[in-house]
Amino acid sequence: MSTPVVPPTITAPPSARAATRARRTGTPASGPRESILSRTSAMLIMAVFTLYFLTPIWWLLVASTKSRGDLTTTNALWFSDIQLGENLAAVFGYQGGILVKWLGNSLAYAGGGALLATLLAGMCGYALAKYRFPGREVLFNVVLGGVLVPATALALPLFLIFSEVGATNTFWSVFLPSIVSPFGVYLTRIFAAASVPDELMEAARLDGSGEVRTYFTVSVRLMFPALVTVFLFQFVAIWNNFFLPLIMLRDSALFPVTLGLYNWNSVVNQVPELRLYVLVGALVSILPLIALFLLLQRFWRSGLGTGAIK
Amino acid sequence: MSTTTLDAPSATAPSPVTRTRVPHKSAIAVFVLPFGVLFSMFYLLPIGYAVWQSTRVVQREGTFGPPTEVFGGLTQYRNVLENDAFWESIGRVLLFGIVQVPIMLGLALLFALLLDSPLVRGRRFFRLAFFAPYAVPGVIAAIMWGFLYSPNLSPFRPLTAEINFLSADLVLWAIANVVTWVYVGYNMLIIYSSLLAIPAEVYEAARLDGASQFRIAWSIKIPLVMPAIILTAIFSIIGTLQLLAEPQVFRTFTSSVTSDFTPNLLVYTTASVPNPSLAAAFSVVLALATFILSFTFLKVTQRKAFQ
């Protein structure tokens, strides 16, 4: 067996990370080597499931490049006559460019909502972790209960309340409920307790910095991985949220892209060209999230495990 | 619960501010109030409102009199108890959860362990490939799979012409596949990142003693990542009971998904009748059921996993 190709020089760096890496790539010295059989079956499992996970996305990509005729007549998993440009132009031009509006709405709901949610949850989690005040435990337990109450269960009561004040079918009816993230409070509390030392806060105090200023100039940096994780969680939750906009919104100019594409998809039988538009629109709508994940990968990978520490 | 974060330092070096009983009162208010107010408005108030709404019934004076809403006590809850469609939908999502959640988490755990073992090369690629479906919102995923399942549009027509995945018998499992496809990679990453947090020394001894990768995974890694598995399980249970987007989308592909297929679909249908009081009672019962189920699961597994 000559598979381990890691040069022995890798043992030179003293950092713990390098040691971990050596273990993960299997240096010859670190114990029994794995049999070819287990290596092969492991890789086989990974390969089969790669097909399972990527084929639908590949299919969507291929389908988006086809003309309406080719969509059903040619091999669905390979390109025929590529006309992605024409398709994109047609989709973005459809109904006066409403798809652009939907994407913009989704970005406003999810981007703005997640940003505010992170700000609020971070401050509250920090206070719960670093200060003692009456009602702290009660507050934390109520928030923890909130984590277990799913957002969809609140959609109908929220609708009833918003209709009481005549505010359904507005931007705010979807935006405002999205900026509350109990899970964010839970996560930032755990993270702040572990990563912001009391000595540091005391030092800032001696330097004459106010508590709020200390938070925004010092503590926020230490909590950054957790804050990015909360932002991503909330961004995805709002971007994917379906029930709340479905129940709140009537005016299609306010739709997020998921609800808009859902509406297109439900009239596919009456308007046949929409079939292709739904697919192209779906491709366009998943690209921002993929871009966001790749961009912030470094952060969320370190933050994801935090929630499970305690 | 760790309430000791400030205990140790304040015992040795008391805070210079002694005028007020609670130091930094205004700063704490600045930190806590914004979230607290919004949490009350958009979490607590809706829950209270739903409970209140669920005690209302509509009454008419005579057959043609104007309808008025009056207090009806637990009338709506009796209606919920007697509503077969509601309990059938609960049964359906429970069956779904009993089958789908273990499969999904089992796969997620398997992939996380494989990624963490020296058996697999190209970790970065597999991690991204398996996680990619999570970037697809539930509605879009359901639309995509709706096409893939359909007998005349699917790229796998030979298969979908033989087996109708959208038939009344199979559609629940067709939906289970969509949910699995979206969430396996996400759950895998949560488990994987807690595997990465285990220091290498923990397995060194086992490896030197000649333990196989399987043995290390079973006896060392799985017990250590149990908290992460429990976390993913709780989120999966909550998600299952709240199933809405996928079945709602599948209604446009097949008639075998009825308007009372899942509890949330029934809430939506009932609310559009409109019968807000009964819909509110459904919501309250559903939220309670979710809460009790995930809380019980948390308690039971914590006892098993940590003692």
Side-chain angles (χ1 to χ4, degrees):
Chain A
M1 242 181 300
S2 59
T3 27
V5 285
V6 182
T9 48
I10 202 155
T11 49
S15 75
R17 221 190 145 71
T20 321
R21 169 138 320 157
R23 165 172 73 81
R24 289 181 196 295
T25 42
T27 36
S30 67
R33 278 172 236 166
E34 272 40 74
S35 73
I36 293 207
L37 184 69
S38 15
R39 273 178 197 282
T40 317
S41 36
M43 287 307 280
L44 198 67
I45 293 173
M46 296 311 267
V48 167
F49 277 94
T50 304
L51 284 182
Y52 170 67
F53 288 117
L54 290 189
T55 306
I57 296 176
W58 171 252
W59 164 80
L60 183 68
L61 184 72
V62 170
S64 305
T65 66
K66 289 186 176 176
S67 69
R68 193 142 62 90
D70 284 356
L71 189 62
T72 46
T73 51
T74 57
N75 177 2
L77 294 179
W78 196 249
F79 302 99
S80 54
D81 204 12
I82 294 183
Q83 43 174 302
L84 182 61
E86 289 94 321
N87 286 348
L88 285 174
V91 171
F92 280 118
Y94 190 71
Q95 291 179 338
I98 196 147
L99 184 64
V100 182
K101 183 128 194 70
W102 290 342
L103 285 165
N105 289 343
S106 273
L107 206 64
Y109 290 129
L115 209 61
L116 272 177
T118 311
L119 178 77
L120 298 177
M123 292 197 303
C124 188
Y126 176 74
L128 285 172
K130 305 308 290 182
Y131 296 95
R132 283 207 301 174
F133 53 92
R136 184 175 82 149
E137 286 306 307
V138 176
L139 179 63
F140 184 64
N141 284 325
V142 171
V143 170
L144 208 56
V147 176
L148 297 184
V149 175
T152 42
L154 297 173
L156 173 75
L158 280 170
F159 172 78
L160 297 175
I161 289 177
F162 273 88
S163 55
E164 199 85 344
V165 292
T168 57
N169 197 24
T170 57
F171 175 82
W172 302 107
S173 66
V174 174
F175 185 81
L176 286 177
S178 315
I179 61 180
V180 185
S181 167
F183 183 69
V185 175
Y186 168 73
L187 201 79
T188 48
R189 178 194 188 265
I190 289 177
F191 202 89
S195 68
V196 183
D198 294 327
E199 294 76 17
L200 194 71
M201 293 170 69
E202 202 55 51
R205 250 167 236 151
L206 292 177
D207 287 346
S209 166
E211 300 299 316
V212 178
R213 194 173 136 213
T214 306
Y215 173 73
F216 281 104
T217 50
V218 180
S219 310
V220 151
R221 284 167 208 221
L222 298 171
M223 289 166 64
F224 201 63
L227 294 176
V228 173
T229 310
V230 172
F231 176 82
L232 273 170
F233 262 109
Q234 196 63 9
F235 188 95
V236 172
I238 304 173
W239 189 274
N240 290 355
N241 194 356
F242 179 64
F243 201 12
L244 190 65
L246 175 73
I247 211 165
M248 285 284 187
L249 303 176
R250 292 284 162 272
D251 179 5
S252 66
L254 293 171
F255 283 0
V257 68
T258 45
L259 188 58
L261 290 176
Y262 164 77
N263 264 18
W264 276 3
N265 188 56
S266 29
V267 291
V268 150
N269 289 331
Q270 292 88 298
V271 195
E273 70 258 35
L274 274 181
R275 180 160 291 143
L276 182 64
Y277 293 178
V278 167
L279 295 178
V280 180
L283 182 70
V284 172
S285 80
I286 63 179
L287 292 181
L289 271 195
I290 293 185
L292 189 72
F293 279 134
L294 289 178
L295 212 68
L296 298 177
Q297 224 200 123
R298 197 156 61 86
F299 299 108
W300 54 257
R301 270 183 42 219
S302 57
L304 259 182
T306 320
I309 285 175
K310 288 201 176 164
Chain B
M1 221 128 301
S2 62
T3 51
T4 51
T5 31
L6 265 182
D7 289 0
S10 60
T12 49
S15 169
V17 187
T18 43
R19 281 176 289 119
T20 47
R21 276 198 327 117
V22 181
H24 318 300
K25 211 174 199 164
S26 54
I28 294 171
V30 169
F31 288 139
V32 174
L33 277 183
F35 177 84
V37 168
L38 288 165
F39 183 75
S40 311
M41 278 172 72
F42 300 117
Y43 257 82
L44 301 182
L45 184 66
I47 293 171
Y49 193 91
V51 172
W52 178 80
Q53 180 72 51
S54 69
T55 64
R56 313 293 288 174
V57 287
V58 173
Q59 255 181 9
R60 285 169 194 275
E61 283 178 47
T63 320
F64 302 105
T68 48
E69 242 187 39
V70 295
F71 181 75
L74 296 177
T75 317
Q76 296 295 359
Y77 290 94
R78 205 182 60 219
N79 295 339
V80 172
L81 278 178
E82 288 168 357
N83 192 309
D84 291 336
F86 180 70
W87 295 106
E88 272 170 40
S89 70
I90 293 262
R92 201 173 284 122
V93 289
L94 283 181
L95 176 68
F96 179 101
I98 289 168
V99 176
Q100 189 264 341
V101 172
I103 291 181
M104 174 176 69
L105 295 184
L107 285 174
L109 178 62
L110 173 72
F111 299 147
L113 287 170
L114 283 176
L115 282 181
D116 192 56
S117 78
L119 298 173
V120 169
R121 273 143 197 287
R123 285 189 186 86
R124 211 179 131 73
F125 168 77
F126 287 125
R127 211 173 53 211
L128 280 179
F130 286 24
F131 186 64
Y134 185 63
V136 183
V139 180
I140 310 288
I143 291 177
M144 288 166 66
W145 280 96
F147 277 92
L148 293 175
Y149 287 141
S150 96
N152 34 30
L153 299 166
S154 172
F156 311 107
R157 242 160 291 169
L159 182 65
T160 53
E162 279 300 312
I163 309 167
N164 184 4
F165 290 103
L166 298 172
S167 66
D169 293 336
L170 287 181
V171 76
L172 186 65
W173 309 116
I175 295 172
N177 176 49
V178 178
V179 176
T180 308
W181 182 76
V182 172
Y183 287 103
V184 163
Y186 165 74
N187 290 311
M188 171 194 82
L189 268 188
I190 293 188
I191 300 172
Y192 180 60
S193 35
S194 74
L195 278 172
L196 285 183
I198 303 173
E201 302 83 67
V202 175
Y203 338 114
E204 275 319 304
R207 282 192 63 82
L208 290 176
D209 286 346
S212 67
Q213 283 301 323
F214 179 79
R215 190 66 213 275
I216 292 177
W218 185 257
S219 311
I220 301 178
K221 290 183 180 177
I222 293 182
L224 282 174
V225 295
M226 218 45 195
I229 298 174
I230 290 169
L231 185 81
T232 56
I234 288 173
F235 282 129
S236 307
I237 292 172
I238 295 176
T240 303
L241 281 164
Q242 302 302 321
L243 215 54
L244 174 86
E246 293 83 357
Q248 175 77 9
V249 170
F250 272 35
R251 280 168 60 72
T252 62
F253 288 100
T254 169
S255 57
S256 41
V257 180
T258 50
S259 64
D260 51 15
F261 197 73
T262 69
N264 259 335
L265 263 178
L266 183 61
V267 169
Y268 179 60
T269 313
T270 313
S272 8
V273 165
N275 187 348
S277 297
L278 183 58
F282 283 145
S283 281
V284 171
V285 173
L286 180 63
L288 267 180
T290 312
F291 190 87
I292 291 171
L293 203 64
S294 42
F295 194 75
T296 316
F297 183 82
L298 186 70
K299 284 292 152 202
V300 169
T301 48
Q302 266 188 342
R303 204 171 304 140
K304 281 227 174 91
F306 303 118
Q307 275 168 30

